[in-house]
Amino acid sequence: MKNILLTIVGLFIAIGLQGQSAEEKGIEVAKAADAYDQGFGSSVTKLTMILTNKQGQESTRYMSNQTLELTEDGDKSLIVFDSPRDVKGTATLTFTHKEGSDDQWLYLPALKRVKRISSNNKSGPFMGSEFAYEDLSSQEVEKYTYKFLREEEINGVSAYVVERGPVDPKSGYARQVVWYNKDNYRLEKMDFYDRKNALLKTLTYGKYKVYEEKHWRAGEMNMINHQTGKKTLLKFEDYQFDLNLKESDFSQNSLQRASR
C-alpha cells in the first residue's frame, strides 16, 4: 500500500512541477526524494571500502555502519572500522542537523580518546578516502537551496537533474548537481564542485536493491576525484532494518564501546 501511495504522490509531484519556477521544481524533487526514504526506522549494514590511488594501487578496509532515523532532526550514524589492523577500532559518529552545522566525533583507539571534528575540517577526507566527512551526513532537505536544471536519461533510466547549494558556509562545496531517478527518486549520480566552482568529484550509485518492499539501497557507491585521479568504492551488504536501535546507541560512550 505504501508503494502505491508513493507512486501516486510521485505522479502528482510530476504534474505539479509544470508551471513552477526552477527553484520551486528543485525543492519539490528534493522533498519527494526525502518522502520516499522515510520510515526505515533504523538500519545496519556491512561495508567494504576499496581505495585506489592514481597509479591504480588498491587497499581495502572493512567497516560496519548503523543508522537511526529521526524526524524532528537529521539522522544519526555510527561507522566502525573492523579491519585491517592499522584502522581496526576507529569509529566515527555523525549527528546530522536540518539547520546548522552537523556534529561529528572520531574515536582513535591508538590515543584512546574521542576527538570532535570541527566545522572547519568537515571538508577534509574521511579516513584517507575520497569521501569528505560532510559526505557522511544524511540527505536533509533543509541543508540546501535548489534549482531544477532538466530531465535526461542516465544509466538507462529517466532522471530529474537538480542543482543544489549547501546552506552551511563551511561546506567544502560551492554546489552539487544531483540526478534523481524519476520513478522512485533514488539517487543515480552526483557531481561535486569545489569552492572555486571547479568539478571536484563524481559519485555514482549502482546495484540497487529494494528491501522489505519499500527501502531502496545502493549496493555500490563509487566516488571519483577528478583533480587527484584517486577513487573510493564502497560496497554494501547484509542490510537489516528496524533493529530497535535507540538514541543511547549513538552517544560518545557508545562510540568507544563499539570500537572494542
Side-chain angles (χ1 to χ4, degrees), residues 95-151:
F95 290 1
T96 303
H97 298 304
K98 293 184 177 181
E99 297 181 358
S101 297
D102 301 333
D103 291 310
Q104 290 183 301
W105 297 268
L106 178 68
Y107 178 72
L108 300 169
L111 302 178
K112 295 183 178 179
R113 71 180 181 92
V114 175
K115 174 185 177 184
R116 185 182 184 88
I117 301 170
S118 74
S119 298
N120 293 326
N121 292 329
K122 289 175 182 173
S123 60
F126 168 60
M127 295 296 291
S129 74
E130 300 314 306
F131 289 83
Y133 280 96
E134 66 179 289
D135 299 336
L136 306 181
S137 301
S138 56
Q139 302 284 317
E140 305 299 329
V141 174
E142 295 84 353
K143 297 179 75 67
Y144 303 93
T145 59
Y146 299 89
K147 181 181 179 182
F148 183 89
L149 298 180
R150 59 188 181 274
E151 296 180 19

Side-chain angles (χ1 to χ4, degrees), residues 19-36:
Q20 292 181 317
S21 69
E23 289 75 17
E24 290 171 334
K25 288 182 182 178
I27 196 167
E28 285 299 322
V29 172
K31 287 180 177 178
D34 183 62
Y36 263 82

Side-chain angles (χ1 to χ4, degrees), residues 144-187:
Y144 303 93
T145 59
Y146 299 89
K147 181 181 179 182
F148 183 89
L149 298 180
R150 59 188 181 274
E151 296 180 19
E152 68 179 24
E153 297 287 320
I154 183 172
N155 301 332
V157 301
S158 299
Y160 295 122
V161 186
V162 176
E163 180 181 275
R164 66 185 192 184
V167 173
D168 187 349
K170 295 182 179 177
S171 170
Y173 306 119
R175 62 189 176 100
Q176 301 166 1
V177 178
V178 186
W179 282 255
Y180 295 91
N181 187 304
K182 285 181 65 175
D183 289 335
N184 49 33
Y185 292 87
R186 71 192 191 197
L187 300 176

Side-chain angles (χ1 to χ4, degrees), residues 57-76:
Q57 297 169 320
E58 294 185 351
S59 58
T60 303
R61 298 169 174 178
Y62 298 93
M63 307 173 287
S64 59
N65 178 52
Q66 61 184 42
T67 303
L68 179 66
E69 181 186 27
L70 297 174
T71 55
E72 67 276 14
D73 201 359
D75 298 345
K76 297 183 176 181

